[in-house]
């Protein structure tokens, strides 16, 4: 029974973390967001909604400065205030913002948003269990090894999600008549907009794929679909 104790503790910890994380995320987003209201973006959202046979796509502004998009576990789509400000000052075009929305819609449609919350809780549980077990055999470095292994696992899962959401966005943007050019041009801007965060980190530890790899994947889809975007 004692041998199973770390596993049982990890399972209980994961369940508690999932419930708390889901509740805390929803509460934070409710308190710090408002419905996006921008005529140009609203028109592009209507184009994408039509491509999906939906009456509308609701997008919210999350009142934080870091440049990001977010797909909440409950299916809501958010653009941060910092990202929206870049659009308003002309650094990012309306079509490029639409590509962000399309990407986040991909996370929702493909089930990534809810699964990421579960993964986050599970990865923390695995970290606790590994640290407990490894700490017995490798005092001092067991926790470090546990952290490294779970970080690598999380990054690999996240990169796979990003590629899938990119592919969904490419298909949606093409069907909506917006095209994939804004998707590629935004990727080229992101390093500068975000201050090249993660530029020196090995690719296998990054939660997002390298920019060049994402653009290459989009261009491969364009070739497969017979679509030419410049």
């Amino acid at each position: 029974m004692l041998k199973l104790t770390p596993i049982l503790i990890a399972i209980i910890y994961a369940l508690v973390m999932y419930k708390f994380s889901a509740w805390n995320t929803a509460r934070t987003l409710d308190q710090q967001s408002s419905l996006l209201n921008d005529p140009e973006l609203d028109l592009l959202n209507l184009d994408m909604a039509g491509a999906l046979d939906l009456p509308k796509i609701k997008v919210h502004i999350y009142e934080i400065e870091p440049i990001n998009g977010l797909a909440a576990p409950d299916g809501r789509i958010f653009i941060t205030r910092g990202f929206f400000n870049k659009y308003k000052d002309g650094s990012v075009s309306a079509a490029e913002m639409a590509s962000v929305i399309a990407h986040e819609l991909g996370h929702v449609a493909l089930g990534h948003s809810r699964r990421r919350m579960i993964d986050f809780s599970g990865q923390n549980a695995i970290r606790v269990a590994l640290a407990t077990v490894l700490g017995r055999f490798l005092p001092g470095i067991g926790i470090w090894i546990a952290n490294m292994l779970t970080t690598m696992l999380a990054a690999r899962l996240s990169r796979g999600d990003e590629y899938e959401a990119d592919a969904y966005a490419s298909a949606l943007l093409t069907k909506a008549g917006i095209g994939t050019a804004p998707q590629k041009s935004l990727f080229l801007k992101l390093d500068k907009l975000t201050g090249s965060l993660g530029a020196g980190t090995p690719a296998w530890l990054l939660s997002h794929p390298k920019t060049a790899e994402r653009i290459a994947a989009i261009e491969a889809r364009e070739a497969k679909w017979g679509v030419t975007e410049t």
Side-chain angles (χ1 to χ4, degrees), residues 41 45 87 113 120 132 155 158 167 183-184 194 209 215 222 227:
L41 284 178
N45 283 340
Y87 158 65
S113 315
F120 171 75
T132 301
S158 185
Q183 192 180 19
K184 292 187 292 184
T194 58
I215 292 175
E222 292 170 353
V227 174

Side-chain angles (χ1 to χ4, degrees), residues 33-173:
S33 67
S34 59
L35 197 63
L36 178 137
N37 181 18
D38 181 86
E40 192 171 1
L41 284 178
D42 287 345
L43 287 175
L44 293 175
N45 283 340
L46 281 174
D47 289 337
M48 291 191 289
L52 294 170
D53 293 324
L54 295 174
K56 65 170 65 174
I57 294 172
K58 288 184 178 180
V59 180
H60 298 78
I61 299 292
Y62 183 23
E63 298 294 342
I64 60 174
E65 285 305 312
I67 295 170
N68 209 349
L70 172 68
D74 60 13
R76 288 182 293 172
I77 303 298
F78 295 83
I79 298 295
T80 64
R81 174 62 67 181
F83 214 157
F84 185 72
N85 287 342
K86 291 297 182 182
Y87 158 65
K88 295 303 288 185
D89 71 18
S91 300
V92 176
S93 71
E96 288 169 338
M97 289 300 293
S99 77
V100 178
I101 295 167
H103 178 91
E104 299 306 329
L105 284 169
H107 282 312
V108 173
L110 298 170
H112 297 160
S113 315
R114 187 176 296 276
R115 199 196 71 218
R116 279 181 175 183
M117 186 69 74
I118 296 171
D119 286 348
F120 171 75
S121 304
Q123 286 153 16
N124 280 329
I126 291 170
R127 182 180 284 109
V128 170
L130 279 175
T132 301
V133 173
L134 293 174
R136 294 177 180 176
F137 302 99
L138 301 168
I141 65 170
I143 294 176
W144 180 82
I145 294 174
N147 286 334
M148 183 183 70
L149 290 174
T150 49
T151 298
M152 289 170 61
L153 172 63
R156 183 170 183 176
L157 290 172
S158 185
R159 286 198 305 275
D161 287 353
E162 294 305 317
Y163 277 123
E164 290 180 1
D166 283 351
Y168 181 97
S170 294
L172 176 55
L173 292 166

Side-chain angles (χ1 to χ4, degrees), residues 23-34 60 62 74 76 78:
W23 170 80
N24 191 53
T25 297
R27 185 188 68 163
T28 300
L29 291 173
D30 287 342
Q31 293 175 345
Q32 300 183 37
S33 67
S34 59
H60 298 78
Y62 183 23
D74 60 13
R76 288 182 293 172
F78 295 83

